[in-house]
Structure formats: C-alpha cells, structure tokens
Amino acid sequence: MGYQVKEISTKPFDGQKPGTSGLRKRVKVFQQEHYTENFIQAILDSIKADGATLVIGGDGRYFSPETVQTILKIGSANGVKKLIIGKDSILSTPAASNVIRKYKADGGILLTASHNPGGPNNDFGIKYNVSNGGPAPENVTNKIYEITKTIQKYKVIESDPVDLSVIGKTSYGPTEVQIIDSVADYVELLQDIFDFQLIKDFLQNNASSFRILFDGLHGVTGPYARAILVDTLGLPEASIQNCVALPDFGGGHPDPNLTYAHSLVEVVEAKNIQFGAASDGDGDRNMIYGKGAFVTPSDSVAIIADWAHVIPYFKKGGVKGLARSMPTSKAIDLVAQKKGLEYFEVPTGWKFFGNLMDAGRLSICGEESFGTGSDHIREKDGIWAIMAWLNIIAAANKESPNELIGIKELLKKHYAVYGRSFFSRYDYEEVSSEGANKLVALLDGAITSSSLAKKTYKSKSTNQDFTIASVTNFSYTDPIDGSVSKNQGQVVLFDDGSRVVFRLSGTGSAGATVRLYVERYVGPEAGEKVLAGDTAEGLKGLIEVALEISNLKEFLGRDEPTVIT
C-alpha cells in the first residue's frame, strides 16, 4: 500500500540550538506553527532516518502526547522503519536509555525538560539520544543546529493518530509502531543489578524502626517507584507520595533538592522517617534525605563507590573507574585513591562519562546537581541511586546485626575514614545576562593578569584567612577521542585545598543562571564533632570570601541566591 508523503514549506526559527540536554523552551514557543516540526525534521535529517528504529518517550509533561503524534507523522514520511513508544508517551530518561540499548535501537527522541517546571506556561524540551543510549554528542547536536538554520521544508504522512494508551503493535503509514510498558524493562534491569531479596528482608524485618518515603514530585518516576517499592518490595502504600505523573507536575518544581522537594523534607522530619528519597521530572536525578540527615550528591556517589562491593552488579563485573563532574566535591577522588582505582574530573554533561564508559574505563560517576549513575546505562539514574543506597544499608545492617545502620551512621563511618568535603552550591537564577557576563569577565581578567594570585582574604565573621593559590578556567581533553572542551568554569583554588567554582549556565528557558560552588575539605583527624558540623557554618567564611572576590552581589543585583543546595 502506498502512502502519500506531503512536503510542507517552512522557514528557519532562530535559536534552535540543542545542548547536551536537548532543546528547551517555553511550551508556547514549541506550539508555534512549524516550530516543533522543523526541529524533528532536523533531527531526522542529521541521522540516517531511512530504515532506522527509534525509541520515543518522555516525562509526560504538557504537550508530550501531541508531539509524539508529530513524530509519527514526520518519522513515517522520512522512512523510519520502527518506533518503540512508551505507553502514554511515558519513559523516564534512564528507562529510555535502557530501552535503546536493550532493543538495539538506532537512537531515541526524548520529550523532557528534565527538572524544569511543566504546564502550558512553563517548559518543554526535545532531546536526541544516540545508539549507546546516551545524550547526542556535540558533533550530532551541531549538525542538528546547522540544519535548523537552513531548513525549507519538512515531510509528513497524514493518518489516524495512534492510541498511545494501548500496549501492543500497530502501524502508522509504513512505519511499525510498538507501544511498550513504560516500566517493565527498567524494573527487570534493576533486579539484575541489586540484591532485591536482601533489601526486602531488611525492610520487612525492620518495618517499624526503618521506614521509607519516596516522593515522586508528580514527575515520571511515580509509576517506577510504585512498581519497585510497593509491588516488588512489598512496602505499604504510605511509602510513596506524589507518585501520579502529571503534565504540570502538580504545579510544583520537580527538582529534588532541599528547596523544591520540601514536600519530602517536611514529612520525613514530622514523621521521623529514617530514609527519604525524591527524584525529578524525568527521573535522572535523586536526593537522599533521612530524619536530620541530608546527603549531598558529592557524598552520595562517594559512598556508593566505597560500598560497591556489596552490589551484585559490581561484585560480578568489578569497578573499572570512578569519575565526577568538575564542580562536584573531591570526595569520590579519595575513595578512588584508597582503592587504587583510576578516576576522572570531567566537564558538566553526562556525555563525557559515556565516552569513558564505552571505553571500559568507568563504572560509577556523579554530578553535584543530584545526578548519580553507573555504566548500566548511559544516563544518570535517580531510581538506581536510591536502590544503591537501600542495597548498601541492607548490607551494612547484615554486617552489624546489633546496631541499626541508617543514613547518619553511614555518613559518620565514611567521614571517619575519608574526612569530609563541606560542599554547597548557590544558584542565582534568571539574572541579568549583562551582569553575569561582567562577573565572568572579571574572573577571566584575573586569570589573564594573575592579579589574584597569592592574595589573602579574611572572612569578617569567622576571622579565617584564605590565600589564593591559583585562578584557572577549567578545560578538558577527552582521553578517549581527544576532543577538547574549554571555558568550563572559573576555579579559584586556595592554598588549604579549598576551592570555589563559578559557572554560567543556560539550561533555563529565561535569563541567565550563575552557579557558585564552594568546597572545603576537613581531614578525619579533625574528629567526629567537627566532621558532623553544620554545612553552612563550615563554609561560612569561604562563601563570604567568594562573594567578595567576584563582586557577585553587585554584578547580579542579588543579596541572596534563588536556591541553596
């Protein structure tokens, strides 16, 4: 049977430049006539679409079902052989990465703006992942962007919409369509990685003394958490909250940090819950928080790496190497050094980890932005990190049957061996681009002139002295493909090993975001009281100095950050 392929005339739109996290704009931008169609056609033109198998899914945010139908129209007209689509257009980012790898697809189109708010007046996003399941590298995203600048037409086949709620095989024009269970493949993957029986036994034997609460923040991970925690591990319904995925995330901001995941923090504290966790809009981030015990993402990945030997996946395959993004604290470096493992400091962006994983040199990695993962897929994975913690806690309690080991106890044990990196991030969101650029220019000038070298600053409130050892702009040469990434953030290093990092970020859909990362290391010899101290107090003097060096308040016109994590 022949199908009529129509060519629709169009014109380029400015600014369709995707980053590692795809193209993110307001919903109303994507709803413009031809806007979404142009970008989908550009993706297909940048790859070998004819005969390809592609995975389609996303975080279920507003405008997702319509966009899946658009992909069906354009994909079929461009010769895509098969589309594997998550039921109701739902696939968490980690689940999509797994499906691409498991079904040996050529790539995938993910409809997500990650942790950004959703709804008709908020954000939408389209992201392309390649055949290894990871985000498209720069050479692919650059190719997509170049096509968007000259596009004159896109192709469609008009047919009846596909019912995305019915699992099974169907077709759209000449393209085979398979609607799959959004959750099943991912749960199967995790059951192969973790010791579910050990976790289940521990939770059932300590049902009253070790309670769990997972908060889905009305993002995509709700159905996954229910399938794992309630259906598989047998926990009560009260162990999950906000686990219905909603197009507007219930009006909230689905970002698992102390500011936006307050719904978790409040209940954990009020009900004395020992283990709390949350994930974000598309399921690739996580936060671990127990009664009076917040785990920084930097500490989280270090502890997972330190305890990897109790996780069946690593028992079987070993740990090849460890890595972190540059702004992330150096806690995981200390674990690597103690265990004799290779370790890497890479720019922000999961694709850098993916290269190392594909080369067999990396097993566990993390970013301070609440992203943690391993080489089981090629995306960070929120639920994976939460299950890693439960596996570790269950194993630690098996080793210490007479003492209940929870989050606090694991942190205390870790600091006693490795010391502690006091770490915090200040986000200044939607600030003036002009002011942000002035701040960057000031620091770049200091790098060029060495004007800050050896200067000593005194904190007025703590009376601490901080002497600058160096100011640099982080660059990275990929050890696998030799590519060079420059201008990845200004790093102010002090002679006591403390450091401050400044990064200008553009992942929001409006204004600029300046991120300030502050790290101060204290060795295990400092003792339990100092190591267990309050983060804000431990970093107070260094933060004051960072603000003074950068003139941040003056340039950005802000006395306080939008978010502190």
Side-chain angles (χ1 to χ4, degrees):
M1 180 180 175
Y3 298 93
Q4 184 184 1
V5 176
K6 294 182 182 177
E7 292 191 349
I8 310 295
S9 295
T10 187
K11 292 179 180 178
F13 289 85
D14 289 336
Q16 287 194 325
K17 182 176 175 60
T20 299
S21 302
L23 181 68
R24 295 182 189 173
K25 303 284 182 184
R26 295 290 195 211
V27 167
K28 286 179 169 55
V29 174
F30 278 99
Q31 287 175 326
Q32 295 175 89
E33 187 179 20
H34 307 314
Y35 189 93
T36 298
E37 291 84 351
N38 278 19
F39 193 68
I40 298 297
Q41 183 68 57
I43 290 174
L44 297 177
D45 283 347
S46 72
I47 63 173
K48 189 177 179 295
D50 190 31
T53 295
L54 299 176
V55 172
I56 310 297
D59 57 20
R61 68 178 56 234
Y62 188 88
F63 198 54
S64 292
E66 301 95 316
T67 304
V68 172
Q69 301 297 339
T70 299
I71 294 169
L72 284 160
K73 291 179 182 180
I74 299 176
S76 61
N78 282 272
V80 172
K81 181 183 178 184
K82 184 176 183 180
L83 290 171
I84 301 171
I85 305 174
K87 181 178 180 289
D88 297 320
S89 76
I90 292 283
L91 274 176
S92 74
T93 293
S97 182
N98 176 52
V99 170
I100 291 169
R101 294 168 66 82
K102 180 175 180 177
Y103 293 94
K104 295 180 168 53
D106 296 289
I109 300 176
L110 281 58
L111 309 178
T112 175
S114 189
H115 55 288
N116 293 6
N121 298 311
N122 284 307
D123 289 1
F124 188 70
I126 302 176
K127 170 183 173 180
Y128 184 68
N129 279 29
V130 292
S131 59
N132 75 346
E138 211 164 285
N139 64 321
V140 176
T141 55
N142 284 343
K143 194 172 180 183
I144 294 169
Y145 179 48
E146 290 304 314
I147 293 167
T148 69
K149 294 194 288 188
T150 59
I151 190 168
Q152 297 298 316
K153 63 186 178 185
Y154 59 86
K155 295 187 283 189
V156 298
I157 289 177
E158 299 285 359
S159 188
D160 292 334
V162 170
D163 187 344
L164 303 176
S165 67
V166 179
I167 293 173
K169 292 184 177 180
T170 182
S171 61
Y172 188 99
T175 301
E176 181 187 342
V177 177
Q178 184 178 357
I179 308 296
I180 63 169
D181 185 306
S182 305
V183 176
D185 289 313
Y186 180 77
V187 174
E188 185 182 303
L189 172 72
L190 292 198
Q191 286 177 315
D192 285 341
I193 293 172
F194 299 109
D195 191 337
F196 269 58
Q197 192 58 53
L198 178 71
I199 297 168
K200 188 172 185 176
D201 289 346
F202 167 71
L203 294 176
Q204 288 183 346
N205 293 336
N206 296 276
S208 58
S209 57
F210 194 89
R211 290 179 299 151
I212 284 179
L213 179 64
F214 173 84
D215 194 328
L217 300 179
H218 289 301
V220 75
T221 52
Y224 297 85
R226 178 180 295 281
I228 293 167
L229 298 176
V230 178
D231 300 342
T232 306
L233 294 177
L235 292 175
E237 189 73 21
S239 298
I240 59 174
Q241 68 178 21
N242 300 325
C243 279
V244 176
L246 297 174
D248 66 347
F249 307 117
H253 190 147
D255 195 357
N257 59 46
L258 294 174
T259 300
Y260 295 125
H262 55 84
S263 54
L264 173 75
V265 174
E266 288 163 6
V267 178
V268 164
E269 292 295 340
K271 296 187 176 180
N272 197 29
I273 290 170
Q274 286 71 33
F275 186 92
S279 189
D280 69 330
D282 70 325
D284 64 355
R285 299 184 182 207
N286 75 95
M287 179 175 80
I288 306 297
Y289 184 93
K291 171 75 174 179
F294 166 61
V295 185
T296 70
S298 300
D299 283 346
S300 179
V301 70
I303 288 171
I304 291 171
D306 193 38
W307 283 83
H309 59 279
V310 304
I311 296 172
Y313 179 84
F314 299 114
K315 275 186 192 175
K316 182 180 177 182
V319 176
K320 304 176 187 77
L322 306 176
R324 61 174 172 83
S325 65
M326 179 273 286
T328 304
S329 94
K330 297 181 179 181
I332 195 171
D333 301 11
L334 300 173
V335 175
Q337 290 162 12
K338 184 176 174 62
K339 294 182 178 293
L341 295 169
E342 187 176 27
Y343 61 100
F344 303 90
E345 178 184 47
V346 308
T348 298
W350 210 256
K351 63 185 178 183
F352 297 103
F353 296 133
N355 265 8
L356 294 164
M357 289 174 182
D358 287 345
R361 292 175 67 178
L362 174 61
S363 294
I364 299 170
C365 54
E367 296 179 333
E368 49 65 41
S369 53
F370 295 84
T372 318
S374 86
D375 59 353
H376 67 293
I377 56 171
R378 294 298 182 268
E379 290 276 7
K380 50 197 172 210
D381 191 344
I383 298 287
W384 175 91
I386 293 162
M387 292 305 297
W389 267 85
L390 290 177
N391 197 146
I392 289 165
I393 287 172
N397 279 278
K398 190 175 181 180
E399 291 177 10
S400 303
N402 299 319
E403 176 195 6
L404 184 62
I405 306 290
I407 293 173
K408 267 187 176 179
E409 290 74 23
L410 276 176
L411 286 170
K412 181 179 168 183
K413 287 174 182 288
H414 189 82
Y415 297 156
V417 173
Y418 292 102
R420 179 180 177 187
S421 292
F422 285 87
F423 181 88
S424 190
R425 182 179 104 186
Y426 280 29
D427 288 7
Y428 297 83
E429 297 177 350
E430 298 191 1
V431 298
S432 152
S433 293
E434 182 185 359
N437 287 325
K438 284 181 178 178
L439 185 152
V440 170
L442 173 77
L443 293 169
D444 283 343
I447 293 168
T448 304
S449 66
S450 301
S451 59
L452 292 177
K454 307 304 178 188
K455 284 189 74 171
T456 299
Y457 290 81
K458 184 180 287 291
S459 162
K460 292 175 183 173
S461 65
T462 67
N463 217 33
Q464 292 168 290
D465 286 333
F466 293 93
T467 300
I468 295 176
S470 65
V471 185
T472 56
N473 197 325
F474 181 68
S475 66
Y476 175 72
T477 300
D478 193 302
I480 309 306
D481 62 20
S483 61
V484 178
S485 301
K486 296 182 178 180
N487 301 316
Q488 295 298 309
Q490 289 81 9
V491 183
V492 182
L493 182 67
F494 298 88
D495 62 3
D496 67 347
S498 298
R499 64 177 190 146
V500 175
V501 177
F502 297 86
R503 288 190 73 244
L504 184 58
S505 171
T507 57
S509 59
T513 296
V514 172
R515 305 193 199 282
L516 165 64
Y517 310 83
V518 188
E519 176 182 5
R520 177 172 164 257
Y521 175 72
V522 176
E525 68 281 353
E528 184 181 329
K529 185 177 179 182
V530 173
L531 293 169
D534 178 70
T535 299
E537 281 301 312
L539 292 173
K540 189 175 181 181
L542 185 56
I543 290 170
E544 282 180 13
V545 167
L547 294 175
E548 182 183 349
I549 290 169
S550 62
N551 289 339
L552 184 146
K553 290 184 178 182
E554 178 185 330
F555 285 136
L556 304 187
R558 298 278 181 90
D559 285 332
E560 300 293 336
T562 315
V563 180
I564 299 176
T565 50

